Amino acid sequence: MTAGQVPAPGPAPTRSWTASLRTRITGVLPPGQALPDRQPAYVASWIYVFGVLSLAALVVVIGTGLVLSMGGVAWWHDSSLGHFVNSLHLWSVEIFFAAMVIHLWGKFWMAAWRGKRGLTWVTGVVAFVTSIGTAFTGYLSQSNFDSQWIGSEGKDGINSLGAGAWFNVLNPGQMLMWHIVLLPLAVGFIVVVHVVLVRRHGVVPPLDAAEPGAPVSRTEAD
Amino acid sequence: MAVHDSAALAAGHYIDWGVISISVTNAAIIGLMVVVFVLALLLPFPRPREERQQVEEEQR
């Protein structure tokens, strides 16, 4: 190569872990698919709103949970501000679950596992089940008579599963740690995987609509 | 006994139907969710402004 010549663009060295990770990430979710600015026409329906409504409620749940964790366990009993944040936490959880269940109904009747979306469906189910566990440990962390009642009623159920030695619902400290550390991490991780899969495969079309990019059948073409 | 009665009253009202027992509050919330689900299927979704303008121009 003589002076002034621009080197020909060749394949980048793939030995480095950053290059291979980048290739892998862009392979899973190409940049245009991560944050699209246009959606197919059938997405203009209220039934497609409940997934993102669940996400919005989850953001409020996590935000208010972070504030509550700074105030400590007694804060929501002896402070009006703490009580207010606790109420925001509770009601955002209520909206989160209501939106998630309506999202589930919508996706079930759309058979949303079609078009290689089986893993998207499964991660949604796992997110739902993990959220129930997180909510359960939240009820056990209220530090009132209600949480004592739920703990004493729930212990037999957990013991019958053989998990009582590791998941003791009568231990408020252990339940609080599950509620504010372990289960939120699990919910956050599975929700991120779910959203990445939705972006990768696109939102599911209604049963009578064609998949975007699918070849037009002969009868439709005629 | 009186404590039991007051605790039972504080627990709210329940609908009992065979093996199914559900509080009126929970039944009302589920009913409301079904209403929201049906409305989400039936109500028209607002179109973006550009799209509305385009439709209006086409109609002229």
Side-chain angles (χ1 to χ4, degrees):
Chain A
M1 189 169 68
T2 57
Q5 265 187 326
V6 179
T14 52
R15 286 284 179 195
S16 78
W17 69 268
T18 49
S20 58
L21 182 64
R22 186 179 65 233
T23 309
R24 199 171 170 82
I25 290 171
T26 50
V28 170
L29 196 60
Q33 267 172 257
L35 290 169
D37 53 2
R38 292 188 73 80
Q39 288 288 347
Y42 51 76
V43 178
S45 162
W46 287 109
I47 200 64
Y48 282 96
V49 167
F50 291 92
V52 80
L53 185 60
S54 310
L55 284 178
L58 182 62
V59 168
V60 179
V61 170
I62 292 170
T64 51
L66 288 172
V67 176
L68 286 172
S69 68
M70 285 189 279
V73 172
W75 185 53
W76 58 81
H77 293 303
D78 56 26
S79 149
S80 55
L81 179 62
H83 196 170
F84 175 70
V85 177
N86 190 47
S87 297
L88 281 180
H89 192 63
L90 169 73
W91 286 106
S92 51
V93 168
E94 301 278 347
I95 293 171
F96 173 64
F97 271 96
M100 194 162 41
V101 169
I102 296 172
H103 177 63
L104 165 68
W105 290 342
K107 294 302 154 189
F108 178 79
W109 293 110
M110 269 183 221
W113 47 84
R114 287 173 296 135
K116 296 181 181 173
R117 293 182 180 85
L119 198 55
T120 316
W121 174 263
V122 169
T123 51
V125 172
V126 175
F128 184 47
V129 172
T130 316
S131 300
I132 291 172
T134 315
F136 177 58
T137 52
Y139 281 112
L140 291 169
S141 304
Q142 294 175 98
S143 60
N144 59 13
F145 287 128
D146 206 18
S147 54
Q148 287 182 31
W149 171 262
I150 296 166
S152 60
E153 292 295 301
K155 75 178 188 331
D156 294 333
I158 302 294
N159 287 342
S160 70
L161 295 172
W166 301 277
F167 191 82
N168 180 4
V169 293
L170 290 175
N171 182 343
Q174 189 193 24
M175 289 304 106
L176 187 67
M177 288 295 110
W178 274 95
H179 182 65
I180 67 173
V181 181
L182 299 173
L183 289 169
L185 282 174
V187 172
F189 174 75
I190 199 72
V191 165
V192 167
V193 174
H194 184 70
V195 171
V196 166
L197 286 169
V198 171
R199 292 270 55 91
R200 179 171 162 79
H201 297 290
V203 287
V204 69
L207 287 166
D208 55 353
E211 192 85 49
V216 180
S217 70
R218 181 176 285 272
T219 48
E220 281 176 74
D222 297 339
Chain B
M1 194 65 186
V3 173
H4 242 122
D5 289 346
S6 64
L9 285 172
H13 299 283
Y14 279 74
I15 300 165
D16 289 302
W17 188 45
V19 293
I20 296 167
S21 176
I22 185 169
S23 74
V24 173
T25 315
N26 279 344
I29 289 170
I30 293 168
L32 191 65
M33 284 166 62
V34 172
V35 169
V36 170
F37 177 68
V38 172
L39 288 176
L41 295 176
L42 298 179
L43 287 181
F45 193 79
R47 289 176 173 177
R49 191 183 295 167
E50 298 159 11
E51 207 175 304
R52 266 183 317 205
Q53 284 171 346
Q54 200 178 344
V55 172
E56 282 167 15
E57 280 169 18
E58 282 171 5
Q59 285 173 344
R60 276 180 209 156

